[in-house]
């Protein structure tokens, strides 16, 4: 028979919390039992009709009072010190903690990761990585509670609160609101997914979508990024007024507005993505915004561009730089590389 008497231990706080909880529970049970046994013995011994010696009753015993007072004091201070240590640790996140933002609102949890990934009623975290949650409520008081992690803290309107933990075991865990917040309070729940580091990296690579297939090659990864960021909206199959084509880019000589030129290679792709204004193709304005791709993503995009076809020379020559300069409004987002 499976009779779980406690949630699974899945965070750095779980063991310490459980040890304190069961110690307090055991002491409570022991002293409750002692008092109960003593009461039963006294009731049985002195109940009406019993032939007990009731002469010279003892009203004071210094030794007994000292013993039970000192034992209670030592136990009480020990529990206080132990609990304070855990409380202080839970209020001091490590410096390398990964910060994630949480907004509570009737009746859902909105999660915002620093890299732009958003989640509703789900939180994905890597195992072994300290995670700091900065939380605030949009309406009433809520409480962010993960039973398996033994962490809970209020989420209040108008003030940021903090909660941190380190997941120690991969798995799917409960996420609750432990503060009654309205008629649909019971529906304000979700799940926390603790993932091993490789799984976490794949989750990040898929933009936080567990159901999105993960590209198996660099070219596929680059193509996925090309589509996700809608690069083809500006970079058509042939040069046009908005941006030059990227077909047949690798190995082609690029001439820039300042009169310089270079052969398009992986370094050119990297500069173009991170600093579009550095080398602007002759005849175009700076209309492309900088991107914050990782080095891995830049390499993948470069490999994908390497596979693209070759633009026809006739189409490439059809673009009139004078027309381009007058046709593109200042500040128009797009590509110029």
């Amino acid at each position: 028979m499976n009779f779980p008497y406690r949630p699974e231990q899945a965070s750095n706080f779980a063991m310490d919390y459980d040890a304190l909880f069961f110690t307090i529970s055991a002491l409570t049970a022991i002293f409750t039992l002692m008092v109960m046994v003593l009461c039963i013995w006294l009731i049985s011994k002195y109940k009406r009709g019993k032939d007990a010696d009731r002469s010279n009753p003892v009203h004071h015993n210094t030794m007994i009072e000292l013993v039970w007072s000192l034992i209670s004091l030592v136990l009480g201070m020990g529990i206080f010190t132990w609990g304070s240590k855990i409380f202080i640790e839970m209020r001091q996140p490590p410096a390398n903690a990964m910060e994630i933002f949480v907004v509570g609102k009737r009746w859902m949890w909105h999660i915002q990761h620093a890299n732009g990934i958003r989640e509703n009623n789900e939180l994905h975290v890597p195992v072994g990585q300290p995670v700091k949650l900065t939380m605030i409520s949009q309406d009433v008081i809520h409480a962010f509670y993960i039973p398996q992690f033994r962490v809970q803290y209020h989420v209040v309107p108008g003030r940021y609160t903090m909660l941190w933990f380190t997941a120690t075991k991969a798995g799917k865990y409960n996420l609750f609101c432990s503060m009654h917040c309205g008629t649909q309070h019971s529906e304000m729940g979700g799940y926390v997914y603790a993932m091993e580091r490789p799984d976490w990296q794949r989750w990040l690579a898929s933009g936080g979508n567990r159901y999105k297939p993960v590209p198996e090659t660099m070219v596929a990864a680059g193509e996925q990024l090309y589509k996700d960021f809608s690069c083809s909206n500006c970079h058509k199959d042939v040069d046009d007024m908005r941006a030059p084509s990227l077909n047949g880019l690798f190995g082609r000589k690029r001439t820039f507005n300042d009169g310089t030129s270079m052969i398009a290679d992986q370094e050119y792709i990297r500069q173009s993505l991170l600093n579009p204004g550095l080398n602007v193709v002759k005849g175009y304005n700076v209309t492309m915004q900088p991107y914050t791709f990782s080095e891995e993503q830049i390499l993948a995009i470069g490999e994908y561009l390497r596979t693209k076809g070759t633009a026809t020379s006739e189409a490439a020559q059809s673009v009139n730089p004078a027309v381009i300069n007058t046709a593109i409004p200042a500040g128009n987002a797009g590509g110029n590389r």
Side-chain angles (χ1 to χ4, degrees), residues 195-234:
M195 312 171 77
E196 297 292 350
R197 179 64 66 173
D199 296 333
W200 162 257
Q201 295 293 350
R202 282 192 288 272
W203 180 80
L204 285 181
S206 65
N209 188 343
R210 297 198 309 277
Y211 308 102
K212 186 177 181 179
V214 178
E216 297 181 353
T217 65
M218 288 183 65
V219 172
E223 183 178 12
Q224 186 65 55
L225 288 168
Y226 197 85
K227 292 178 179 177
D228 289 347
F229 285 86
S230 302
C231 301
S232 60
N233 285 350
C234 297

mmCIF file of all heavy atoms in Angstrom, residues 195-234:
data_model
loop_
_atom_site.group_PDB
_atom_site.id
_atom_site.type_symbol
_atom_site.label_atom_id
_atom_site.label_comp_id
_atom_site.label_asym_id
_atom_site.label_seq_id
_atom_site.Cartn_x
_atom_site.Cartn_y
_atom_site.Cartn_z
ATOM 1 N N MET A 195 14.651 20.397 -14.822
ATOM 2 C CA MET A 195 15.225 19.683 -15.969
ATOM 3 C C MET A 195 16.733 19.565 -15.819
ATOM 4 O O MET A 195 17.392 20.486 -15.309
ATOM 5 C CB MET A 195 14.893 20.428 -17.262
ATOM 6 C CG MET A 195 13.426 20.824 -17.384
ATOM 7 S SD MET A 195 13.071 21.911 -18.764
ATOM 8 C CE MET A 195 13.111 20.730 -20.106
ATOM 9 N N GLU A 196 17.269 18.444 -16.262
ATOM 10 C CA GLU A 196 18.717 18.306 -16.321
ATOM 11 C C GLU A 196 19.269 19.327 -17.314
ATOM 12 O O GLU A 196 18.569 19.757 -18.233
ATOM 13 C CB GLU A 196 19.107 16.890 -16.755
ATOM 14 C CG GLU A 196 18.663 15.797 -15.794
ATOM 15 C CD GLU A 196 19.396 15.852 -14.445
ATOM 16 O OE1 GLU A 196 20.380 16.623 -14.348
ATOM 17 O OE2 GLU A 196 18.991 15.149 -13.516
ATOM 18 N N ARG A 197 20.528 19.713 -17.113
ATOM 19 C CA ARG A 197 21.094 20.808 -17.896
ATOM 20 C C ARG A 197 20.962 20.620 -19.416
ATOM 21 O O ARG A 197 20.543 21.562 -20.118
ATOM 22 C CB ARG A 197 22.570 20.984 -17.517
ATOM 23 C CG ARG A 197 23.310 22.078 -18.261
ATOM 24 C CD ARG A 197 22.753 23.454 -17.968
ATOM 25 N NE ARG A 197 22.963 23.845 -16.588
ATOM 26 C CZ ARG A 197 22.684 25.070 -16.130
ATOM 27 N NH1 ARG A 197 22.200 25.998 -16.939
ATOM 28 N NH2 ARG A 197 22.885 25.351 -14.868
ATOM 29 N N PRO A 198 21.254 19.445 -19.989
ATOM 30 C CA PRO A 198 21.082 19.298 -21.454
ATOM 31 C C PRO A 198 19.630 19.492 -21.884
ATOM 32 O O PRO A 198 19.367 20.122 -22.914
ATOM 33 C CB PRO A 198 21.560 17.861 -21.718
ATOM 34 C CG PRO A 198 22.469 17.546 -20.578
ATOM 35 C CD PRO A 198 21.893 18.252 -19.390
ATOM 36 N N ASP A 199 18.693 18.950 -21.105
ATOM 37 C CA ASP A 199 17.274 19.135 -21.439
ATOM 38 C C ASP A 199 16.878 20.602 -21.333
ATOM 39 O O ASP A 199 16.084 21.112 -22.129
ATOM 40 C CB ASP A 199 16.403 18.294 -20.503
ATOM 41 C CG ASP A 199 16.651 16.812 -20.680
ATOM 42 O OD1 ASP A 199 17.049 16.418 -21.793
ATOM 43 O OD2 ASP A 199 16.463 16.063 -19.705
ATOM 44 N N TRP A 200 17.424 21.261 -20.321
ATOM 45 C CA TRP A 200 17.152 22.695 -20.147
ATOM 46 C C TRP A 200 17.680 23.491 -21.350
ATOM 47 O O TRP A 200 17.012 24.397 -21.846
ATOM 48 C CB TRP A 200 17.804 23.159 -18.852
ATOM 49 C CG TRP A 200 18.003 24.638 -18.716
ATOM 50 C CD1 TRP A 200 19.159 25.326 -18.872
ATOM 51 C CD2 TRP A 200 17.001 25.616 -18.384
ATOM 52 N NE1 TRP A 200 18.948 26.666 -18.658
ATOM 53 C CE2 TRP A 200 17.638 26.875 -18.355
ATOM 54 C CE3 TRP A 200 15.644 25.526 -18.103
ATOM 55 C CZ2 TRP A 200 16.961 28.028 -18.059
ATOM 56 C CZ3 TRP A 200 14.962 26.705 -17.812
ATOM 57 C CH2 TRP A 200 15.615 27.933 -17.796
ATOM 58 N N GLN A 201 18.872 23.148 -21.847
ATOM 59 C CA GLN A 201 19.433 23.847 -23.007
ATOM 60 C C GLN A 201 18.566 23.618 -24.239
ATOM 61 O O GLN A 201 18.339 24.541 -25.036
ATOM 62 C CB GLN A 201 20.867 23.361 -23.259
ATOM 63 C CG GLN A 201 21.859 23.707 -22.153
ATOM 64 C CD GLN A 201 22.119 25.203 -22.032
ATOM 65 O OE1 GLN A 201 21.706 25.973 -22.881
ATOM 66 N NE2 GLN A 201 22.803 25.613 -20.978
ATOM 67 N N ARG A 202 18.073 22.392 -24.409
ATOM 68 C CA ARG A 202 17.191 22.130 -25.554
ATOM 69 C C ARG A 202 15.879 22.896 -25.425
ATOM 70 O O ARG A 202 15.343 23.385 -26.417
ATOM 71 C CB ARG A 202 16.927 20.617 -25.666
ATOM 72 C CG ARG A 202 18.078 19.843 -26.286
ATOM 73 C CD ARG A 202 17.642 18.430 -26.640
ATOM 74 N NE ARG A 202 17.457 17.616 -25.456
ATOM 75 C CZ ARG A 202 18.421 16.909 -24.883
ATOM 76 N NH1 ARG A 202 19.631 16.918 -25.411
ATOM 77 N NH2 ARG A 202 18.195 16.198 -23.802
ATOM 78 N N TRP A 203 15.399 22.987 -24.181
ATOM 79 C CA TRP A 203 14.164 23.756 -23.958
ATOM 80 C C TRP A 203 14.383 25.217 -24.317
ATOM 81 O O TRP A 203 13.536 25.860 -24.939
ATOM 82 C CB TRP A 203 13.751 23.611 -22.494
ATOM 83 C CG TRP A 203 12.504 24.351 -22.131
ATOM 84 C CD1 TRP A 203 11.212 23.958 -22.354
ATOM 85 C CD2 TRP A 203 12.418 25.634 -21.484
ATOM 86 N NE1 TRP A 203 10.338 24.902 -21.877
ATOM 87 C CE2 TRP A 203 11.043 25.945 -21.347
ATOM 88 C CE3 TRP A 203 13.358 26.542 -21.005
ATOM 89 C CZ2 TRP A 203 10.601 27.115 -20.748
ATOM 90 C CZ3 TRP A 203 12.918 27.720 -20.422
ATOM 91 C CH2 TRP A 203 11.563 27.987 -20.291
ATOM 92 N N LEU A 204 15.522 25.770 -23.945
ATOM 93 C CA LEU A 204 15.841 27.149 -24.295
ATOM 94 C C LEU A 204 15.953 27.318 -25.808
ATOM 95 O O LEU A 204 15.448 28.286 -26.375
ATOM 96 C CB LEU A 204 17.161 27.573 -23.638
ATOM 97 C CG LEU A 204 17.162 27.882 -22.152
ATOM 98 C CD1 LEU A 204 18.560 28.291 -21.712
ATOM 99 C CD2 LEU A 204 16.157 28.991 -21.827
ATOM 100 N N ALA A 205 16.604 26.339 -26.444
ATOM 101 C CA ALA A 205 16.808 26.437 -27.887
ATOM 102 C C ALA A 205 15.488 26.413 -28.647
ATOM 103 O O ALA A 205 15.378 26.975 -29.742
ATOM 104 C CB ALA A 205 17.706 25.297 -28.360
ATOM 105 N N SER A 206 14.472 25.770 -28.069
ATOM 106 C CA SER A 206 13.169 25.705 -28.735
ATOM 107 C C SER A 206 12.281 26.877 -28.346
ATOM 108 O O SER A 206 11.079 26.853 -28.600
ATOM 109 C CB SER A 206 12.473 24.387 -28.390
ATOM 110 O OG SER A 206 12.173 24.336 -27.002
ATOM 111 N N GLY A 207 12.866 27.868 -27.685
ATOM 112 C CA GLY A 207 12.099 29.040 -27.308
ATOM 113 C C GLY A 207 11.105 28.794 -26.197
ATOM 114 O O GLY A 207 10.101 29.488 -26.075
ATOM 115 N N GLY A 208 11.372 27.768 -25.376
ATOM 116 C CA GLY A 208 10.478 27.471 -24.268
ATOM 117 C C GLY A 208 9.269 26.645 -24.661
ATOM 118 O O GLY A 208 8.309 26.556 -23.902
ATOM 119 N N ASN A 209 9.314 26.033 -25.821
ATOM 120 C CA ASN A 209 8.194 25.207 -26.291
ATOM 121 C C ASN A 209 8.609 23.742 -26.238
ATOM 122 O O ASN A 209 9.424 23.286 -27.036
ATOM 123 C CB ASN A 209 7.801 25.617 -27.712
ATOM 124 C CG ASN A 209 6.532 24.927 -28.172
ATOM 125 O OD1 ASN A 209 6.111 23.926 -27.588
ATOM 126 N ND2 ASN A 209 5.919 25.456 -29.211
ATOM 127 N N ARG A 210 8.039 22.985 -25.298
ATOM 128 C CA ARG A 210 8.425 21.574 -25.154
ATOM 129 C C ARG A 210 7.996 20.744 -26.357
ATOM 130 O O ARG A 210 8.535 19.680 -26.602
ATOM 131 C CB ARG A 210 7.781 20.968 -23.898
ATOM 132 C CG ARG A 210 8.203 21.581 -22.618
ATOM 133 C CD ARG A 210 7.869 20.664 -21.449
ATOM 134 N NE ARG A 210 6.496 20.230 -21.457
ATOM 135 C CZ ARG A 210 5.475 20.943 -20.961
ATOM 136 N NH1 ARG A 210 5.721 22.119 -20.436
ATOM 137 N NH2 ARG A 210 4.250 20.491 -20.992
ATOM 138 N N TYR A 211 7.010 21.221 -27.095
ATOM 139 C CA TYR A 211 6.459 20.447 -28.192
ATOM 140 C C TYR A 211 7.080 20.825 -29.542
ATOM 141 O O TYR A 211 6.777 20.242 -30.553
ATOM 142 C CB TYR A 211 4.947 20.641 -28.251
ATOM 143 C CG TYR A 211 4.297 20.371 -26.925
ATOM 144 C CD1 TYR A 211 3.900 21.414 -26.094
ATOM 145 C CD2 TYR A 211 4.120 19.071 -26.468
ATOM 146 C CE1 TYR A 211 3.320 21.166 -24.860
ATOM 147 C CE2 TYR A 211 3.549 18.811 -25.230
ATOM 148 C CZ TYR A 211 3.145 19.877 -24.431
ATOM 149 O OH TYR A 211 2.575 19.618 -23.207
ATOM 150 N N LYS A 212 7.925 21.847 -29.526
ATOM 151 C CA LYS A 212 8.565 22.277 -30.759
ATOM 152 C C LYS A 212 9.762 21.381 -31.038
ATOM 153 O O LYS A 212 10.611 21.185 -30.161
ATOM 154 C CB LYS A 212 9.033 23.729 -30.600
ATOM 155 C CG LYS A 212 9.598 24.354 -31.855
ATOM 156 C CD LYS A 212 9.949 25.806 -31.576
ATOM 157 C CE LYS A 212 10.500 26.491 -32.803
ATOM 158 N NZ LYS A 212 10.821 27.908 -32.511
ATOM 159 N N PRO A 213 9.863 20.801 -32.225
ATOM 160 C CA PRO A 213 11.001 19.906 -32.511
ATOM 161 C C PRO A 213 12.317 20.652 -32.431
ATOM 162 O O PRO A 213 12.432 21.806 -32.858
ATOM 163 C CB PRO A 213 10.708 19.414 -33.931
ATOM 164 C CG PRO A 213 9.786 20.437 -34.516
ATOM 165 C CD PRO A 213 8.961 20.952 -33.380
ATOM 166 N N VAL A 214 13.314 20.002 -31.876
ATOM 167 C CA VAL A 214 14.642 20.596 -31.750
ATOM 168 C C VAL A 214 15.450 20.283 -33.005
ATOM 169 O O VAL A 214 15.542 19.118 -33.398
ATOM 170 C CB VAL A 214 15.365 20.049 -30.511
ATOM 171 C CG1 VAL A 214 16.771 20.625 -30.418
ATOM 172 C CG2 VAL A 214 14.562 20.359 -29.260
ATOM 173 N N PRO A 215 15.991 21.309 -33.678
ATOM 174 C CA PRO A 215 16.788 21.050 -34.888
ATOM 175 C C PRO A 215 17.946 20.103 -34.601
ATOM 176 O O PRO A 215 18.613 20.216 -33.573
ATOM 177 C CB PRO A 215 17.287 22.451 -35.266
ATOM 178 C CG PRO A 215 16.334 23.395 -34.616
ATOM 179 C CD PRO A 215 15.908 22.738 -33.356
ATOM 180 N N GLU A 216 18.167 19.163 -35.517
ATOM 181 C CA GLU A 216 19.208 18.171 -35.287
ATOM 182 C C GLU A 216 20.543 18.579 -35.888
ATOM 183 O O GLU A 216 21.569 17.973 -35.594
ATOM 184 C CB GLU A 216 18.763 16.822 -35.870
ATOM 185 C CG GLU A 216 17.516 16.264 -35.181
ATOM 186 C CD GLU A 216 17.108 14.932 -35.747
ATOM 187 O OE1 GLU A 216 17.718 14.516 -36.756
ATOM 188 O OE2 GLU A 216 16.193 14.307 -35.173
ATOM 189 N N THR A 217 20.555 19.563 -36.788
ATOM 190 C CA THR A 217 21.796 20.010 -37.404
ATOM 191 C C THR A 217 21.935 21.517 -37.261
ATOM 192 O O THR A 217 20.954 22.231 -36.986
ATOM 193 C CB THR A 217 21.837 19.640 -38.897
ATOM 194 O OG1 THR A 217 20.791 20.367 -39.569
ATOM 195 C CG2 THR A 217 21.608 18.138 -39.086
ATOM 196 N N MET A 218 23.146 22.018 -37.514
ATOM 197 C CA MET A 218 23.362 23.462 -37.450
ATOM 198 C C MET A 218 22.572 24.178 -38.535
ATOM 199 O O MET A 218 22.023 25.269 -38.308
ATOM 200 C CB MET A 218 24.849 23.772 -37.581
ATOM 201 C CG MET A 218 25.681 23.404 -36.366
ATOM 202 S SD MET A 218 27.414 23.868 -36.566
ATOM 203 C CE MET A 218 27.288 25.653 -36.630
ATOM 204 N N VAL A 219 22.504 23.576 -39.708
ATOM 205 C CA VAL A 219 21.767 24.206 -40.804
ATOM 206 C C VAL A 219 20.287 24.322 -40.437
ATOM 207 O O VAL A 219 19.651 25.361 -40.639
ATOM 208 C CB VAL A 219 21.950 23.389 -42.095
ATOM 209 C CG1 VAL A 219 21.029 23.919 -43.186
ATOM 210 C CG2 VAL A 219 23.401 23.438 -42.558
ATOM 211 N N ALA A 220 19.739 23.229 -39.863
ATOM 212 C CA ALA A 220 18.330 23.259 -39.463
ATOM 213 C C ALA A 220 18.099 24.287 -38.363
ATOM 214 O O ALA A 220 17.080 24.994 -38.361
ATOM 215 C CB ALA A 220 17.897 21.879 -38.989
ATOM 216 N N ALA A 221 19.055 24.379 -37.419
ATOM 217 C CA ALA A 221 18.923 25.370 -36.349
ATOM 218 C C ALA A 221 18.972 26.786 -36.914
ATOM 219 O O ALA A 221 18.205 27.670 -36.506
ATOM 220 C CB ALA A 221 20.018 25.172 -35.312
ATOM 221 N N GLY A 222 19.888 27.005 -37.881
ATOM 222 C CA GLY A 222 19.983 28.313 -38.504
ATOM 223 C C GLY A 222 18.732 28.664 -39.293
ATOM 224 O O GLY A 222 18.255 29.806 -39.260
ATOM 225 N N GLU A 223 18.184 27.682 -39.998
ATOM 226 C CA GLU A 223 16.953 27.916 -40.757
ATOM 227 C C GLU A 223 15.794 28.261 -39.824
ATOM 228 O O GLU A 223 14.976 29.134 -40.125
ATOM 229 C CB GLU A 223 16.613 26.675 -41.579
ATOM 230 C CG GLU A 223 15.381 26.865 -42.455
ATOM 231 C CD GLU A 223 15.087 25.638 -43.292
ATOM 232 O OE1 GLU A 223 15.700 24.578 -43.020
ATOM 233 O OE2 GLU A 223 14.255 25.739 -44.225
ATOM 234 N N GLN A 224 15.755 27.572 -38.666
ATOM 235 C CA GLN A 224 14.692 27.851 -37.702
ATOM 236 C C GLN A 224 14.792 29.286 -37.184
ATOM 237 O O GLN A 224 13.788 29.999 -37.079
ATOM 238 C CB GLN A 224 14.783 26.870 -36.524
ATOM 239 C CG GLN A 224 13.640 26.981 -35.532
ATOM 240 C CD GLN A 224 12.306 26.604 -36.158
ATOM 241 O OE1 GLN A 224 12.167 25.517 -36.708
ATOM 242 N NE2 GLN A 224 11.344 27.501 -36.094
ATOM 243 N N LEU A 225 16.012 29.718 -36.882
ATOM 244 C CA LEU A 225 16.203 31.097 -36.424
ATOM 245 C C LEU A 225 15.843 32.089 -37.526
ATOM 246 O O LEU A 225 15.239 33.134 -37.260
ATOM 247 C CB LEU A 225 17.667 31.297 -35.990
ATOM 248 C CG LEU A 225 18.073 30.612 -34.691
ATOM 249 C CD1 LEU A 225 19.592 30.629 -34.534
ATOM 250 C CD2 LEU A 225 17.426 31.307 -33.498
ATOM 251 N N TYR A 226 16.213 31.767 -38.755
ATOM 252 C CA TYR A 226 15.910 32.637 -39.897
ATOM 253 C C TYR A 226 14.410 32.846 -40.026
ATOM 254 O O TYR A 226 13.939 33.949 -40.308
ATOM 255 C CB TYR A 226 16.488 31.991 -41.160
ATOM 256 C CG TYR A 226 16.628 32.915 -42.331
ATOM 257 C CD1 TYR A 226 17.750 33.723 -42.485
ATOM 258 C CD2 TYR A 226 15.643 32.978 -43.317
ATOM 259 C CE1 TYR A 226 17.889 34.571 -43.574
ATOM 260 C CE2 TYR A 226 15.764 33.824 -44.406
ATOM 261 C CZ TYR A 226 16.887 34.620 -44.537
ATOM 262 O OH TYR A 226 17.015 35.470 -45.620
ATOM 263 N N LYS A 227 13.656 31.757 -39.781
ATOM 264 C CA LYS A 227 12.193 31.857 -39.859
ATOM 265 C C LYS A 227 11.623 32.569 -38.639
ATOM 266 O O LYS A 227 10.732 33.405 -38.749
ATOM 267 C CB LYS A 227 11.589 30.456 -39.975
ATOM 268 C CG LYS A 227 11.899 29.760 -41.296
ATOM 269 C CD LYS A 227 11.295 28.367 -41.312
ATOM 270 C CE LYS A 227 11.586 27.669 -42.643
ATOM 271 N NZ LYS A 227 11.066 26.272 -42.661
ATOM 272 N N ASP A 228 12.128 32.198 -37.440
ATOM 273 C CA ASP A 228 11.583 32.773 -36.210
ATOM 274 C C ASP A 228 11.733 34.285 -36.183
ATOM 275 O O ASP A 228 10.870 34.998 -35.651
ATOM 276 C CB ASP A 228 12.281 32.159 -34.991
ATOM 277 C CG ASP A 228 11.878 30.707 -34.767
ATOM 278 O OD1 ASP A 228 10.891 30.272 -35.386
ATOM 279 O OD2 ASP A 228 12.566 30.019 -34.004
ATOM 280 N N PHE A 229 12.849 34.781 -36.724
ATOM 281 C CA PHE A 229 13.089 36.225 -36.690
ATOM 282 C C PHE A 229 12.667 36.908 -37.994
ATOM 283 O O PHE A 229 12.996 38.069 -38.221
ATOM 284 C CB PHE A 229 14.564 36.501 -36.386
ATOM 285 C CG PHE A 229 14.918 36.266 -34.940
ATOM 286 C CD1 PHE A 229 15.266 35.007 -34.506
ATOM 287 C CD2 PHE A 229 14.872 37.292 -34.014
ATOM 288 C CE1 PHE A 229 15.575 34.762 -33.164
ATOM 289 C CE2 PHE A 229 15.173 37.066 -32.684
ATOM 290 C CZ PHE A 229 15.521 35.798 -32.251
ATOM 291 N N SER A 230 11.967 36.150 -38.851
ATOM 292 C CA SER A 230 11.373 36.712 -40.076
ATOM 293 C C SER A 230 12.389 37.470 -40.918
ATOM 294 O O SER A 230 12.102 38.565 -41.430
ATOM 295 C CB SER A 230 10.209 37.641 -39.710
ATOM 296 O OG SER A 230 9.239 36.943 -38.959
ATOM 297 N N CYS A 231 13.586 36.890 -41.056
ATOM 298 C CA CYS A 231 14.631 37.550 -41.841
ATOM 299 C C CYS A 231 14.209 37.714 -43.297
ATOM 300 O O CYS A 231 14.609 38.675 -43.971
ATOM 301 C CB CYS A 231 15.924 36.744 -41.761
ATOM 302 S SG CYS A 231 16.550 36.538 -40.086
ATOM 303 N N SER A 232 13.390 36.776 -43.797
ATOM 304 C CA SER A 232 13.000 36.820 -45.210
ATOM 305 C C SER A 232 12.026 37.951 -45.507
ATOM 306 O O SER A 232 11.748 38.221 -46.677
ATOM 307 C CB SER A 232 12.373 35.476 -45.607
ATOM 308 O OG SER A 232 11.224 35.211 -44.827
ATOM 309 N N ASN A 233 11.487 38.598 -44.469
ATOM 310 C CA ASN A 233 10.606 39.751 -44.733
ATOM 311 C C ASN A 233 11.364 40.866 -45.435
ATOM 312 O O ASN A 233 10.796 41.636 -46.205
ATOM 313 C CB ASN A 233 10.026 40.283 -43.421
ATOM 314 C CG ASN A 233 8.931 39.386 -42.882
ATOM 315 O OD1 ASN A 233 8.479 38.466 -43.573
ATOM 316 N ND2 ASN A 233 8.516 39.623 -41.656
ATOM 317 N N CYS A 234 12.663 40.973 -45.145
ATOM 318 C CA CYS A 234 13.479 42.021 -45.764
ATOM 319 C C CYS A 234 14.425 41.435 -46.813
ATOM 320 O O CYS A 234 14.605 42.005 -47.880
ATOM 321 C CB CYS A 234 14.294 42.749 -44.702
ATOM 322 S SG CYS A 234 13.298 43.615 -43.477
#
